[in-house]
Every structure is written in C-alpha cells, then in structure tokens.
Amino acid sequence: MVVLVGLTARRHSDLSRITAWWRGLGSTGFVALPPPTRSRYTQSDGHEDAAELFAARSLATGTSFAYWHWQSHAAFDRSGALTGPLYLHWGGDHATVAAGLGDGPPGYRLVSGGPRGAFQLDRRTERDADGLPDPQDETGVRQFLDRIGTSRHHGSPAPLTGPEEHWLHDRLAGPVDPDRVTGFAAALELREALTPDETSRLLAAWREEYAGRLSVWPGWWPVLNALLRQEREEAWDVAAALGPASADTLAEHPSGQALAALRATVLAGDDRAVPAWFRTHRTLHEPDPLAAARTLSEELPARPAAQAALLAALRTSVTQDWRTAHPDADRGAAQAFSALTAVRLTTDDRLPRPLRVAAAHAAYDHLTHVREEAARLTGPEAADALAAADRYEAARDDLLAGTGPDLTAYEGALGDLWHRYRTLSPADIGWLRGRLADPTTGVQGIAFCLELLHAHGEATETELLALLPRWKKELTKQYRTTYTEWRHPLVTLTCLAQDLAHPAADDLLAWWAKPKPLWKTPLRLLTHLGAPDETRAAELWEFVASGAHDTGHLMTWVLLRARLDGTHPLLVAERLIGRPGIRPYVLHRVLIGVADPAQPLWHYALDPRSHGWWQRAREVADDPRLSAGARAIGLKAAREHHVLRHPDQVRPPLTDGEVNEARAWLDARA
C-alpha cells in the first residue's frame, strides 16, 4: 500500500483549513480575494487585484474586500503549517470586513488590528492557570514569547511573573540546542536574568554548532550581552567574531576596550559601527556632542557615507538631549527640532566641512518644514529658525557642489530622492559621470547613475567606455530592480551602446541572446528601447499581448513606440485604454510612469509614498492633451496616493502646506 504522507499532511494543514474557510467567505458588500500568488506581493498589488475582480464580476467599486499577499503568506512553512500570525489586509469599510470575516475558522482566533491595521489569524492554544503554555506546544510557546517580548528593539519589557521566569529557566536547564532556545534566552536577558551558568552553556553550544560562523546564529545577542554584563573575558573574542553586528551591544556597555573595538571596526571600512563609536566616545570622553563629532570626523576616512553616518548620530544625540530637556514634547515637535538641527549644523563652523556637507544633504528636504514651523513660532525662536534657514540656503550650493547621495545605501533611500533629479544641473551631470568613472562604484550605483544620465540624454561614449571593461565580470550578475526607478544596469548600458551605434552593442546583444543565465530572459526585451525599429517593436508587442508577466515590457514598448512615431509616450499609452489583452492595472502604471519621458518611473507598481508618482499622477489628471478616460486614471491614482490618505508615510516628509495644497487640488476636481 502506498501512503501519500505529504499529501495527507497537506490536506490537514493550517493552510488547507484556512483556505477552505476562506473560499466560503462572501456576503453582500464583501468579497474575499482568492489566495495570493507571487504577483500579489504588496498591499498595492492586493488593491489592484480587487479592482480587477470588481470589474470582472461587475461589482461596485466601493465593495469591501479582504486578502492576504505573498509576504503575509510567509507565515506558512512548506508543509502548510502556521509559523506566525497570518496578516489579513483589507479595503473598504472596516465594520463590513470584520462582519464578513467573522470569528475565523474553527480552532483559530481572529484579532482585529483596528480601522488602520490588519487582521491577524492564528491557532487557538491552551494555557495553564499561570498563563503558561505546554512546552511541547510550539504554537503556544511562540504566542507566549510574543506576549512577553523577546526583542530589544521594542522598548523596555514588562517584568516577568515568578512562574514565567521559572518556566523560562526550565527551558534552559541541562544541554541546550541553540536553534530551539533563542526566544527563551532573549526573554530572560532582556530582564538581565541569564545566569552565568546558562550563559556558559549557551556559549559552548553556540561555538560548537556554529564554529567559524558565529554571526549566523540569530540568537547571539543575549549571550554577548550577558557576557559583557557579567564582565567575562570571552565577550571580546565573541564581539570580534561577530564584527559590526556587535557594535550596538558594545555601546550599551561602554569601556575603553569597547571603544577600541568600535574604532577599529569603523576604520576598517564599516560605517554601521559609527553611531555606536560616537555614543561610546561621548560617554567616556566628551559629553558635548559637537566636540565629540568633530574629534571623530577628523579620524574618519573621507568616504561621504562615513561622515553621513556620523552626522546622523550627532543629530540623534542632539535631539535626544533636547527631548530630555522637553519631556512633554510630542513626536511632531521632536521631528521639527531634528530638521532644524540639520539646518543649523550645515553652517556651524565648529564642525569640519565633511560634516557640514553631510548636514547640507540631510537638511535638503527639510528646509520647507523649518520655515513652516518658524511661521508658527513667535519672538526670538521664530527669528532664530528663519535666520538658520537663510544661512542654509546661502551656503547649500557651495557645500553640495560635486556631491551626491550614498550609492551604497538601501535602495529605498535612493528612491526617496529620485524626484530631485527630474532635471539635471551641470553639477549633477558632473557628479553622475564621476561616479560612473569611479571603479569602486558598485552595481546599484551604476544602475542609479547610468539610468539618470541615459534618460536625460546626457550619457556619452565616455560613460560607455568606462563601463565596458566591467560588464562581463560585474554587470552580468542578477540584480533585482522590481521596486526601483532604474533598470538593470546592463539593460541601460546595452540601450546606450545601441543608441551610440557603438561596436560593443553587438557583443552585448549576443550575450543577451544566449539562453543562460535564466534570470536575464525576462529582461532581454527591455534592451529593445535602444536604437528601436519596427521589428523590435513587433517582437516586444507580441510579448506584451501574450499576457506574460510584465516587468517593464509595456512601458518599454510605449517609450519605444513614442520614439519611432515622434510623439509623446502619454499619447501612445492613451490609445491602449480598453484594448483587449492589456491589463488595466499595468497600463495605468505605465500611463503615469511615462508622463515625463526624460525621467520615466520604472517602479513595478504605483508607489503610493513617492513624490515622483504623485507629481506624475497630477500631471496626467490635468493634461489637456489626454482624453477624459486617461485623465480619470491619473485622478484615481492621485486620490489613492498617500499624500492624501497617509501623508505621514510619504518620503521625504511633506509639510502641512503641501498636504493642504494637495487636498485643495483634489477638492477642486471632485
């Protein structure tokens, strides 16, 4: 007899039970979207799927709905078991959604996150009279640890009851498996309750199980913290093995040895340790934050990223000191003070120029906030803030000349300032070209700089020749650009080579034509935007019309067609509205993304927190060349942007005046 163990387990898994319940949901005014695929990766994707479903079923656009996306789906392991709460997102009326979901499937509990949060679905578990789970109940243990807290990043934890602390110590009695006791150790050490004996046994098990790769174990923090707290000599070997990851923990236990270790880490080239180095130096040697920053700045290498990290640490320190002196100040007041601090530091002669340059960058998008806040103040405070803003504006251009953002930063941080480069100044062009000529610029930096220069028509043969020696070794690697405003750098480089009719284009196209590596297959057609012709346009359109997964293909075709026809890409995109086979949510993104062909927005979806997408949505809504249907698409995207719905989530942050102006603009078009 053949027993299908995997199939049997899956039939009775959390996923199968929840899915069976989910497919039975639905009532007047409420629908549950089908379970997700990888194409529904974010909440924006969920809302787009809802719009498609409403259109297919002829449902009212105001219908309430619930769904989970692929990131939420990570709550299930490969066998379909829940490893954490399943977050259920929604749209429409919260009360209607709550009624439609009910109490959840039998054996599970559903908790509402409120009108602005997600619902959470998890298994029901049993607890004893002390609120403690059965140690063998993995779900109950997980829920217990979530309740008492195991993260040092979530503020001061609540004290443990006697039974809770005994229960945790019992889990660490005898031999320990480091992969099974992480939460127990963290919960205890958050309360400084790990004993020396427990610390020793955890350290021994960690070193044995993760020999030569100590930083891989996610539970290292309570052990290192306990070693430092207990003043154990082993702490320094462990900290050295962990490298920059140990920086914050070392700063929490300031000493001369900790300071030396942090300094060595920073000077070795890792900027992540700069804030910890600054805090430790200030604690031990120099209470004045500006004096401490000046001392460390002189030791730091010339890398702008290192100075920016030190500047961020300085701003945080100054703001924390201010909050200590103003305990009743709210979060908004602290943010306003932090913005004013960046403006002030830009022209503070007590700081060396590299730090003032970093301050000029940090304050760039906060100047209007400072002026707006100054208008609310009176007397000397208002005059001081306005004078600081005036000094900043007078000094900014000189400080920022020939500089730019940290190209190694998180890509979202670069996306937040993409709108600054809608037009390029001569200084911008020089900086971008300089970064492409610099052999130390990495793949992300190349992608960022080359996209801007090429889109604005400023990329030349000089940039092509600078990158050609690097393309086979560095640019042929997979680099995901799904949620960025720039393409894979080899796509852009190939387009540039074709536009310049450079002989290297043949080698580049030959590489794209090869069957491997497989990651490049979806991107090959994007290179057709370089030196376009009708044959390439036809091949690209065939792919678009096939309904295959779109990762920039329709946008490429629209831009390509516009180049061939000598027309604006908005007019090309407009002609596709209502065309069979063209998915509306993709077309809507493209219509707004190509509003400015000198800087198309390549983000995979409408980014509701981006200044660039907000500006383009408004322009489409107000463009007199477009039909009413096309303008309605722009207006709908603007209505759904966070500028109006969640202005606090827009980056860089908006002023109250900008939010009010946005609302007035929308009201005028209601």
Side-chain angles (χ1 to χ4, degrees):
M1 180 178 67
V2 177
V3 180
L4 300 178
V5 177
L7 181 58
T8 302
R10 189 168 183 80
R11 282 176 179 163
H12 300 287
S13 69
D14 293 314
L15 177 58
S16 64
R17 294 189 187 100
I18 291 171
T19 301
W21 161 75
W22 186 261
R23 293 190 187 282
L25 295 177
S27 58
T28 302
F30 171 75
V31 295
L33 303 188
T37 64
R38 285 181 173 82
S39 64
R40 188 195 300 160
Y41 194 73
T42 67
Q43 292 185 53
S44 295
D45 297 333
H47 284 259
E48 289 171 355
D49 286 354
E52 284 197 350
L53 183 67
F54 295 167
R57 296 185 184 178
S58 299
L59 297 172
T61 55
T63 300
S64 297
F65 60 95
Y67 64 95
W68 75 89
H69 52 52
W70 198 252
Q71 294 181 80
S72 300
H73 197 78
F76 298 105
D77 65 16
R78 291 192 176 188
S79 68
L82 271 178
T83 61
L86 176 65
Y87 285 86
L88 304 176
H89 303 282
W90 57 278
D93 177 67
H94 183 263
T96 302
V97 174
L101 292 174
D103 296 327
Y108 298 82
R109 59 187 176 95
L110 187 67
V111 179
S112 171
R116 295 192 65 178
F119 291 83
Q120 296 182 44
L121 183 66
D122 205 349
R123 284 198 293 259
R124 293 187 182 276
T125 57
E126 298 294 331
R127 299 176 185 172
D128 66 17
D130 292 316
L132 299 170
D134 182 334
Q136 303 305 313
D137 180 359
E138 293 185 3
T139 300
V141 170
R142 167 175 56 78
Q143 291 173 352
F144 167 67
L145 292 175
D146 287 345
R147 178 173 63 81
I148 64 174
T150 60
S151 173
R152 68 187 194 276
H153 302 299
H154 293 163
S156 300
L160 297 172
T161 65
E164 288 172 342
E165 185 165 345
H166 287 310
W167 188 93
L168 289 168
H169 283 302
D170 286 346
R171 306 284 73 76
L172 298 178
V176 294
D177 177 351
D179 292 327
R180 297 181 66 85
V181 300
T182 297
F184 310 136
L188 285 169
E189 186 55 24
L190 278 173
R191 286 90 175 171
E192 298 188 350
L194 272 182
T195 67
D197 178 62
E198 288 168 340
T199 305
S200 295
R201 285 186 289 104
L202 284 165
L203 177 60
W206 177 22
R207 282 174 162 169
E208 180 179 354
E209 186 70 22
Y210 290 88
R213 53 192 187 100
L214 292 187
S215 62
V216 174
W217 184 42
W220 60 261
W221 174 79
V223 180
L224 176 59
N225 196 75
L227 290 170
L228 290 165
R229 178 172 57 82
Q230 296 162 13
E231 299 183 354
R232 303 263 294 267
E233 192 61 33
E234 303 102 305
W236 305 108
D237 290 337
V238 170
L242 290 170
S246 67
D248 285 339
T249 309
L250 291 176
E252 291 166 5
H253 302 270
S255 67
Q257 201 164 358
L259 183 64
L262 291 167
R263 179 180 182 275
T265 299
V266 171
L267 297 186
D270 200 305
D271 300 330
R272 290 176 294 173
V274 168
W277 183 32
F278 172 79
R279 294 198 306 273
T280 306
H281 176 87
R282 188 183 174 197
T283 299
L284 296 176
H285 297 300
E286 183 53 76
D288 177 25
L290 269 72
R294 182 174 62 248
T295 298
L296 298 194
S297 178
E298 293 170 354
E299 289 195 67
L300 276 177
R303 295 189 316 276
Q307 297 289 339
L310 180 57
L311 185 278
L314 172 59
R315 282 180 67 192
T316 299
S317 179
V318 172
T319 303
Q320 287 175 341
D321 289 350
W322 178 86
R323 295 203 74 161
T324 300
H326 301 79
D328 297 329
D330 60 19
R331 182 169 177 266
Q335 290 175 331
F337 179 81
S338 179
L340 178 58
T341 296
V343 168
R344 285 171 169 162
L345 293 177
T346 299
T347 57
D348 194 319
D349 290 336
R350 291 173 293 175
L351 297 179
R353 183 179 176 89
L355 268 183
R356 286 186 283 118
V357 170
H361 277 290
Y364 191 95
D365 288 307
H366 295 289
L367 184 64
T368 51
H369 290 262
V370 169
R371 291 196 179 280
E372 184 175 80
E373 186 65 21
R376 298 190 181 104
L377 301 173
T378 58
E381 285 186 327
D384 174 69
L386 289 174
D390 290 342
R391 291 194 301 272
Y392 173 84
E393 285 195 294
R396 179 179 58 192
D397 290 348
D398 174 65
L399 288 168
L400 295 184
T403 70
D406 175 13
L407 296 174
T408 66
Y410 162 60
E411 63 187 24
L414 290 175
D416 288 346
L417 50 80
W418 191 253
H419 65 284
R420 292 189 196 173
Y421 293 95
R422 192 164 181 182
T423 59
L424 297 182
S425 68
D428 291 332
I429 294 170
W431 181 81
L432 292 165
R433 286 174 172 167
R435 300 290 66 72
L436 290 177
D438 186 344
T440 65
T441 301
V443 172
Q444 178 174 278
I446 292 171
F448 180 92
C449 297
L450 187 60
E451 181 71 52
L452 285 172
L453 287 173
H454 184 253
H456 284 286
E458 298 291 347
T460 67
E461 186 178 22
T462 300
E463 286 70 64
L464 177 67
L465 294 176
L467 294 174
L468 284 179
R470 304 177 62 182
W471 79 268
K472 287 185 178 179
K473 186 175 181 180
E474 298 176 56
L475 302 188
T476 54
K477 304 295 189 294
Q478 185 172 11
Y479 169 67
R480 297 187 183 277
T481 58
T482 304
Y483 292 99
T484 65
E485 302 298 4
W486 49 88
R487 296 167 292 176
H488 190 289
L490 198 54
V491 170
T492 316
L493 187 68
T494 304
C495 290
L496 174 61
Q498 293 177 94
D499 286 341
L500 296 174
H502 193 278
D506 293 335
D507 291 337
L508 291 163
L509 292 172
W511 181 84
W512 284 106
K514 293 177 181 178
K516 292 184 178 181
L518 295 177
W519 67 262
K520 68 183 172 71
T521 301
L523 301 185
R524 181 185 68 84
L525 293 175
L526 305 188
T527 65
H528 285 6
L529 189 55
D533 57 34
E534 293 295 344
T535 300
R536 291 179 175 181
E539 183 185 6
L540 186 53
W541 178 255
E542 182 180 2
F543 179 91
V544 169
S546 72
H549 186 55
D550 188 300
T551 54
H553 299 87
L554 181 58
M555 176 171 282
T556 301
W557 184 85
V558 167
L559 293 169
L560 182 158
R561 189 74 260 167
R563 289 185 66 180
L564 290 176
D565 297 345
T567 188
H568 198 287
L570 273 176
L571 305 180
V572 176
E574 179 187 40
R575 294 197 293 267
L576 299 177
I577 297 175
R579 185 157 181 169
I582 300 298
R583 286 164 290 194
Y585 75 92
V586 177
L587 178 60
H588 295 179
R589 164 174 56 87
V590 169
L591 181 72
I592 295 168
V594 300
D596 182 357
Q599 196 196 41
L601 303 178
W602 289 96
H603 197 283
Y604 180 80
L606 290 170
D607 185 354
R609 52 183 291 281
S610 156
H611 279 247
W613 284 96
W614 164 248
Q615 293 165 349
R616 307 306 200 287
R618 286 183 57 161
E619 289 165 16
V620 170
D622 288 343
D623 195 322
R625 297 170 298 178
L626 300 179
S627 66
R631 294 198 302 273
I633 291 170
L635 185 59
K636 179 176 182 293
R639 280 200 191 101
E640 295 176 351
H641 195 279
H642 285 356
V643 164
L644 299 170
R645 302 170 72 188
H646 307 293
D648 57 312
Q649 296 181 20
V650 177
R651 293 292 181 270
L654 299 165
T655 64
D656 290 344
E658 289 170 328
V659 174
N660 292 335
E661 190 275 333
R663 288 174 177 154
W665 176 86
L666 182 63
D667 289 344
R669 287 151 185 78

